[in-house]
Amino acid sequence: MGFLWFCIVGLVAGWLAGTLVKGGGFGLVGDLVVGVIGAFLGGFLFSSFGVSAGGGLIGSIVVATIGAVILLFVVRLIKRA
């Protein structure tokens, strides 16, 4: 059940990040991948800085979305270069 929630959080975070960064998104699978990688990135960054977004589903979505936004920003910078 944990893996299913992780995928749902990744999908929501990827969609939110695509919306916030003003991109067309990468489709369902692409948004899921961006969200999952963003969740790892966000979790790493938040723990590195000692910041907590709270527990539960909403906190997980916030952390994953912030990580996915950072990931999309970096990917788009690389694509432009």
Side-chain angles (χ1 to χ4, degrees):
M1 190 67 172
F3 180 73
L4 180 64
W5 279 113
F6 191 73
C7 287
I8 290 170
V9 167
L11 184 60
V12 170
W15 175 78
L16 282 172
T19 303
L20 291 173
V21 180
K22 303 286 190 248
F26 295 108
L28 182 66
V29 175
D31 284 347
L32 177 64
V33 170
V34 167
V36 168
I37 295 172
F40 283 119
L41 179 63
F44 173 74
L45 290 174
F46 271 57
S47 66
S48 294
F49 292 119
V51 179
S52 175
L57 184 61
I58 301 298
S60 298
I61 290 174
V62 168
V63 169
T65 301
I66 291 171
V69 165
I70 293 170
L71 178 65
L72 282 177
F73 183 73
V74 169
V75 167
R76 290 189 180 168
L77 280 178
I78 292 171
K79 280 179 112 176
R80 288 185 193 167

